[in-house]
């Protein structure tokens, strides 16, 4: 399917991606389904904006390439470590076939302990609310995603939730540093300590300790189910939210729904000295190769990457051009109520650079 998508473009993806005199080298995983199309959109927009990035393509396999069932080989991991930045299109992990989740593999091997998911209303997009501006910060390496589960006796399965003081402190410190650097006013720690007294209790204790170092940031604690209700009722009341792994997985998707869906949502997985930015929506095989995909999520994720590179002017140019396309409403794709193709959307963004 990936090969079929590549053929839709006039030149091979790799050939069109590289140019000379680049300052940053970024590992690119184009992805499955619509992945190559939306990746090409980002490449074309970066090229038009003269962004100092050179792309290094790496492959993720459809069959396990390691004894532990990983779909990603050591050469791809080394590429990310070497370049320190990566951009990843959507991938599908085969369900029930013994393969480890690709995202879990990357987070573990690269210690990507933060998932950063900002969700802000985009003018011109029909969504349930028009005043959303929230950030979900999710601990990315532990919790129920530790991969420690087994069958105790036939018909009874145990899944271990791992919470460590070290991981809690790292995500809490990141949350308050993020709030400080981005002029946010409040950090809310989301938990279920009433039920998970020891694990979530540890998370809350560490968040309280870290909050004392940041007196200019207001600190609140909320049960995760209460946070869900507040987001549904009045999302403008929340700001930066920090939480363990499973809660963050759920809340971040809920927040995406408030602004129009995962196709509009940027995401970054960040560690110490390395980061992977990604589109978190599915690979949409039903429209793959049809020039119908929306590149916005991957494009806004790449903007987050540019901000991490401290290329703030370049990031602002691309983000503002993207938002201008939505504000005008002429060249938006079918998933957000328009009729434009991927190519038309891409050209419209380039036209506003």
């Amino acid at each position: 399917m990936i090969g079929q998508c590549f053929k839709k473009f006039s030149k091979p993806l790799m050939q069109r991606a590289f140019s000379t005199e680049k300052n940053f080298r970024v590992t690119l995983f184009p992805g499955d389904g619509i992945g190559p199309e939306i990746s090409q959109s980002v490449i074309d927009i970066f090229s038009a904006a003269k962004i100092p990035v050179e792309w290094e393509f790496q492959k993720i396999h459809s069959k396990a390439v390691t004894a532990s069932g990983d779909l990603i080989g050591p050469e791809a991991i080394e590429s990310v470590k070497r370049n320190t930045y990566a951009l990843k299109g959507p991938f599908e992990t085969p369900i029930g076939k013994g393969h480890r989740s690709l995202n879990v593999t990357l987070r573990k091997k690269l210690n990507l302990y933060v998932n950063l998911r900002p969700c802000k209303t985009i003018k011109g997009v029909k969504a349930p609310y028009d005043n959303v501006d929230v950030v979900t910060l999710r601990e990315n390496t532990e919790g129920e995603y530790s991969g420690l589960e087994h069958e105790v006796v036939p018909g009874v399965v145990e899944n271990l939730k791992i919470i460590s003081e070290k991981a809690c402190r790292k995500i809490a410190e990141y949350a308050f540093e993020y709030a400080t650097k981005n002029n946010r006013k409040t950090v809310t720690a989301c938990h279920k300590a009433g039920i998970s007294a020891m694990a979530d209790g540890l998370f809350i204790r560490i968040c309280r300790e870290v909050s004392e170092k940041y007196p200019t940031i207001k600190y609140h604690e909320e049960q995760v189910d209460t946070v869900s209700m507040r987001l549904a009722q009045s999302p403008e009341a929340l700001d930066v939210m920090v939480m363990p792994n499973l809660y963050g997985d759920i809340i971040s998707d809920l927040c995406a729904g408030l602004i129009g869906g995962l196709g509009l949502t940027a995401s970054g997985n960040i560690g110490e000295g390395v980061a992977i930015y990604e589109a978190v929506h599915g690979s949409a095989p039903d429209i793959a190769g049809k020039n119908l995909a929306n590149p916005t999520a991957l494009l806004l994720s790449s903007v987050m990457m540019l901000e991490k590179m401290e290329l703030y002017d370049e990031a602002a140019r691309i983000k503002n051009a993207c938002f201008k396309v939505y504000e005008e409403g002429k060249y938006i794709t079918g998933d957000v109520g328009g009729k434009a193709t991927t190519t038309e959307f891409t050209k419209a963004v380039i036209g506003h650079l």
Side-chain angles (χ1 to χ4, degrees):
M1 182 169 291
I2 292 178
Q4 293 174 351
C5 292
F6 281 170
K7 293 177 184 178
K8 295 292 180 181
F9 300 104
S10 58
K11 296 180 183 179
L13 192 62
M14 269 192 181
Q15 181 181 332
R16 297 172 63 199
F18 283 90
S19 59
T20 58
E21 300 180 0
K22 298 293 184 181
N23 296 330
F24 291 91
R25 192 171 180 87
V26 175
T27 302
L28 177 62
F29 300 101
D32 298 329
I34 61 172
E37 296 169 83
I38 62 174
S39 296
Q40 188 63 62
S41 175
V42 172
I43 291 169
D44 291 345
I45 292 168
F46 270 44
S47 178
K50 295 181 170 55
I51 304 300
V53 162
E54 180 178 329
W55 305 99
E56 180 180 312
F57 288 77
Q58 289 293 334
K59 183 178 180 181
I60 293 177
H61 303 270
S62 58
K63 296 182 179 179
V65 293
T66 68
S68 56
D70 297 331
L71 300 175
I72 186 168
E75 68 284 348
I77 296 293
E78 288 305 313
S79 172
V80 179
K81 289 180 179 179
R82 181 173 61 251
N83 296 328
T84 71
Y85 296 102
L87 189 66
K88 183 173 77 66
F91 283 86
E92 291 294 336
T93 299
I95 303 298
K97 297 184 178 180
H99 302 301
R100 286 213 302 174
S101 164
L102 173 62
N103 286 332
V104 171
T105 299
L106 289 169
R107 292 166 191 163
K108 288 283 190 180
K109 290 184 178 294
L110 298 169
N111 193 24
L112 303 172
Y113 65 93
V114 177
N115 177 245
L116 169 61
R117 194 91 74 85
C119 286
K120 187 173 182 178
T121 296
I122 298 176
K123 187 176 181 180
V125 175
K126 293 181 180 180
Y129 301 91
D130 59 6
N131 55 353
V132 178
D133 186 6
V134 296
V135 178
T136 304
L137 290 166
R138 164 189 174 192
E139 201 292 314
N140 226 6
T141 62
E142 294 188 336
E144 293 85 352
Y145 292 62
S146 300
L148 300 175
E149 57 181 0
H150 61 276
E151 188 173 46
V152 182
V153 296
V156 179
V157 174
E158 185 175 52
N159 183 308
L160 301 181
K161 174 176 177 174
I162 306 299
I163 298 285
S164 72
E165 179 175 334
K166 179 180 179 180
C168 292
R169 192 172 301 280
K170 288 171 71 174
I171 188 66
E173 289 176 345
Y174 188 95
F176 281 93
E177 281 294 316
Y178 179 91
T180 301
K181 292 176 181 177
N182 290 276
N183 298 315
R184 313 294 294 215
K185 293 179 170 52
T186 305
V187 170
T188 299
C190 307
H191 64 95
K192 198 65 178 171
I195 300 298
S196 182
M198 293 186 68
D200 285 19
L202 174 60
F203 176 77
I204 289 301
R205 177 172 67 81
I206 298 303
C207 286
R208 289 173 186 166
E209 291 179 8
V210 173
S211 72
E212 294 174 358
K213 302 177 184 178
Y214 297 86
T216 61
I217 303 296
K218 296 178 182 178
Y219 173 66
H220 297 299
E221 296 171 3
E222 292 274 13
Q223 299 270 352
V224 67
D225 44 352
T226 303
V227 169
S228 300
M229 181 184 68
R230 291 184 66 199
L231 284 167
Q233 290 180 329
S234 52
E236 73 280 357
L238 289 153
D239 191 356
V240 174
M241 300 173 290
V242 60
M243 60 200 77
N245 207 338
L246 177 61
Y247 309 151
D249 195 1
I250 297 167
I251 293 294
S252 58
D253 277 16
L254 189 161
C255 293
L258 301 178
I259 66 167
L262 291 173
L264 304 173
T265 307
S267 179
N269 298 290
I270 302 164
E272 295 175 355
V274 64
I276 297 180
Y277 298 87
E278 63 178 343
V280 291
H281 55 70
S283 60
D286 55 319
I287 62 169
K290 296 180 180 179
N291 200 23
L292 297 175
N294 185 353
T296 301
L298 192 63
L299 182 61
L300 293 180
S301 297
S302 74
V303 166
M304 285 174 55
M305 180 181 71
L306 294 179
E307 292 170 343
K308 181 72 171 177
M309 294 173 175
E310 300 185 348
L311 297 174
Y312 300 113
D313 291 342
E314 292 86 344
R317 285 179 63 211
I318 293 176
K319 182 162 57 175
N320 292 338
C322 178
F323 290 163
K324 187 67 175 176
V325 172
Y326 277 100
E327 189 175 342
E328 290 181 346
K330 186 177 180 181
Y331 295 109
I332 58 176
T333 51
D335 59 310
V336 285
K339 297 181 179 179
T341 64
T342 309
T343 302
E344 288 171 336
F345 174 87
T346 302
K347 289 181 177 179
V349 173
I350 291 172
H352 285 298
L353 289 172

